[in-house]
Amino acid sequence: MYIYLNGLFVGLLILSNIISVKLFSVGDFILPAAAIVYVVTYLITDVIGEVYGKDAAMRTVKAGLVTQIVALLFILAAIHLPAAEAFGMQSEFEAILGGSFRVMFASLLAYIISQHIDVNVFHRLKMKHGTQKLWLRNNLSTASSQLIDTAIFIAVAFVGTVPTGVLFSMIITQYVFKFVVAIVDTPFTYLLVKIARKEKPNPLFHTEVKAS
């Protein structure tokens, strides 16, 4: 289960970077498509931390950072490969996969800071409440880290290019959406923790007692 969770984690990270160029609307609000994917990564690190411990969750976060950097390097390499004459969509390929260095940097910076906050808040709450109230530490850690993630990404990626009022509107809109998704996926956190704990304990990690 640990391997599958890590595979899903890095896969969703890369997917969120690829689909972030697509914007969708919910009423009058506009959001990047990555919003529906990226928030799930916090659920996964919470599950890993709950079952396998804080060190395992931090290793997952670091592995995700390395994977994103490697993926970006290969994407940039693919973009700059000489296009064959039969391939008539080079500009579209660049537009979808290229992005800008500033947006890429904003994404990586927000990721590494917010994921560390998520793991640390989750385990501080666990030290305080023990194995009780998984729903509380799951939602509080995600709520705090998602606020930091959204604020950093929007500020670094768009400050100076859009009015300040629009920046705050983008931060609030994306954060509210992510927070709602985080609450909705709480039952899936319990489900994944239950499935992981049914497996034979991995000798590499300290498996903790079942949460109530």
Side-chain angles (χ1 to χ4, degrees):
M1 186 65 178
Y2 178 75
I3 295 174
Y4 285 112
L5 288 172
N6 274 272
L8 182 61
F9 180 81
V10 297
L12 290 177
L13 285 178
I14 295 174
L15 178 62
S16 67
N17 286 332
I18 294 174
I19 67 175
S20 61
V21 67
K22 168 68 181 290
L23 300 177
F24 71 98
S25 59
V26 179
D28 295 329
F29 302 108
I30 299 177
L31 298 163
I36 64 173
V37 176
Y38 187 65
V39 67
V40 181
T41 63
Y42 292 88
L43 178 156
I44 295 174
T45 51
D46 287 349
V47 172
I48 291 174
E50 177 70 16
V51 179
Y52 302 105
K54 181 180 178 179
D55 289 343
M58 292 304 296
R59 283 195 290 269
T60 297
V61 170
K62 292 175 183 177
L65 176 64
V66 173
T67 302
Q68 287 186 90
I69 293 173
V70 172
L72 288 175
L73 291 175
F74 277 109
I75 288 174
L76 289 174
I79 289 174
H80 289 93
L81 287 174
E85 291 185 8
F87 184 68
M89 297 182 293
Q90 178 64 21
S91 59
E92 291 84 353
F93 186 80
E94 291 182 15
I96 295 297
L97 295 180
S100 68
F101 177 80
R102 183 174 176 178
V103 171
M104 293 178 185
F105 176 75
S107 176
L108 290 174
L109 180 64
Y111 163 80
I112 196 64
I113 294 176
S114 64
Q115 288 286 358
H116 273 78
I117 290 174
D118 179 67
V119 172
N120 281 290
V121 171
F122 183 90
H123 286 278
R124 285 184 181 179
L125 290 171
K126 190 168 188 179
M127 290 177 64
K128 181 177 180 179
H129 298 288
T131 56
Q132 306 296 317
K133 300 180 180 179
L134 171 58
W135 62 271
L136 179 65
R137 55 183 176 274
N138 170 240
N139 286 307
L140 284 182
S141 63
T142 300
S144 57
S145 57
Q146 284 283 15
L147 178 59
I148 298 299
D149 176 84
T150 305
I152 291 176
F153 175 75
I154 296 297
V156 175
F158 300 108
V159 69
T161 63
V162 297
T164 303
V166 176
L167 280 177
F168 282 110
S169 177
M170 292 171 67
I171 291 172
I172 293 172
T173 300
Q174 290 193 40
Y175 176 68
V176 170
F177 178 82
K178 292 176 181 178
F179 182 71
V180 171
V181 173
I183 293 176
V184 171
D185 70 22
T186 299
F188 294 99
T189 303
Y190 276 87
L191 176 62
L192 290 173
V193 167
K194 183 177 181 180
I195 293 173
R197 284 203 168 114
K198 284 184 177 180
E199 291 189 336
K200 182 178 179 181
N202 191 321
L204 294 176
F205 307 109
H206 171 64
T207 304
E208 302 169 18
V209 295
K210 183 178 181 181
S212 58

